[in-house]
Amino acid sequence: GAGVSQSPSNKVTEKGKDVELRCDPISGHTALYWYRQRLGQGLEFLIYFQGNSAPDKSGLPSDRFSAERTGESVSTLTIQRTQQEDSAVYLCASSLSLAGVGTGELFFGEGSRLTVL
Amino acid sequence: GDSVTQMEGPVTLSEEACLTINCTYTATGYPSLFWYVQYPGEGLQLLLKATKADDKGSNKGFEATYRKETTSFHLEKGSVQVSDSAVYFCALTPSGAGSYQLTFGKGTKLSVIP
């Protein structure tokens, strides 16, 4: 498709299980971002990737969170040993370059809603 | 650190009513300011932006003016339509190089009834 695609759209898991969320950015977009939105909160920055440069992981809340991206393709966000406070909507966005943040030319997916029981 | 505060929702208006969604921010320097909108079943998308003080962003009948003196970026529309029903997010990105993180408000859900 033409937009940012995320899967699964909904995921329910038990506390302590690992989950993997996938983001397929717009073709040609070198920058990719992950955000999360917990209930009643604003979007929180988690991590961004820019081409083959080292990612900015400064927003990852704990070492249970990790993300990978190979080149300019798909990214996966992995949460190990999930906790109830991890319940949130996880949003992925992509842009042609990091400059897209300053120009507002970010394209968001619909998000993956994670519920940890 | 930087922060964005926007009015709590939900907001319910009748069609053709006036809309104002308040947004204030805390940041050093001169951040760029944005309003993003999320329509039902869709991803967030940029609605309008302003990159310096006194700039006015506008799109689809919505306007917001960058007010440095009051650190505000309120979203306004003179006559809302049912199709404007969505969640609206105010956001900022810091000024200067190397600033690639957006800081968002909590979002305000708007429902417009016929």
Side-chain angles (χ1 to χ4, degrees):
Chain A
V4 176
S5 178
Q6 291 188 245
S7 62
S9 55
N10 277 287
K11 175 72 177 179
V12 180
T13 191
E14 293 180 346
K15 178 181 173 181
K17 301 283 190 182
D18 296 352
V19 297
E20 192 172 274
L21 307 177
R22 175 188 169 108
C23 173
D24 202 340
I26 293 173
S27 177
H29 280 195
T30 64
L32 184 147
Y33 314 79
W34 284 98
Y35 286 82
R36 76 173 175 181
Q37 184 177 25
R38 290 186 284 189
L39 189 65
Q41 303 297 315
L43 279 73
E44 303 170 71
F45 166 77
L46 296 178
I47 186 171
Y48 73 68
F49 298 88
Q50 166 59 31
N52 293 315
S53 301
D56 179 345
K57 304 179 181 180
S58 60
L60 294 178
S62 78
D63 59 8
R64 295 187 295 105
F65 287 72
S66 62
E68 293 184 346
R69 186 186 189 198
T70 305
E72 298 177 2
S73 62
V74 170
S75 175
T76 54
L77 177 69
T78 301
I79 309 172
Q80 296 179 307
R81 305 181 302 282
T82 52
Q83 304 295 312
Q84 289 182 334
E85 64 263 27
D86 299 335
S87 296
V89 177
Y90 290 82
L91 291 165
C92 177
S94 71
S95 59
L96 281 172
S97 72
L98 290 176
V101 170
T103 60
E105 291 165 343
L106 282 186
F107 296 83
F108 283 82
E110 292 182 41
S112 293
R113 181 177 298 277
L114 173 66
T115 302
V116 182
L117 301 177
Chain B
D2 297 343
S3 67
V4 174
T5 303
Q6 61 183 103
M7 65 186 286
E8 298 282 331
V11 174
T12 302
L13 295 174
S14 297
E15 206 166 20
E16 299 183 2
C18 294
L19 169 71
T20 299
I21 301 178
N22 291 334
C23 172
T24 57
Y25 68 89
T26 302
T28 56
Y30 291 85
S32 294
L33 303 174
F34 307 88
W35 278 99
Y36 279 81
V37 58
Q38 185 172 27
Y39 297 105
E42 300 183 14
L44 273 78
Q45 57 188 271
L46 179 68
L47 178 62
L48 53 83
K49 67 181 181 185
T51 57
K52 61 183 187 292
D54 300 325
D55 266 3
K56 178 185 284 187
S58 61
N59 186 24
K60 299 183 179 181
F62 290 88
E63 293 183 338
T65 301
Y66 188 141
R67 302 285 188 200
K68 180 66 176 175
E69 64 276 15
T70 54
T71 62
S72 65
F73 193 55
H74 304 321
L75 183 67
E76 298 177 325
K77 187 173 186 181
S79 176
V80 295
Q81 305 300 312
V82 173
S83 57
D84 294 327
S85 297
V87 182
Y88 293 82
F89 294 88
C90 187
L92 69 81
T93 189
S95 56
S99 303
Y100 303 123
Q101 299 180 17
L102 277 167
T103 298
F104 286 87
K106 295 182 181 181
T108 302
K109 183 175 182 180
L110 170 67
S111 297
V112 180
I113 54 177

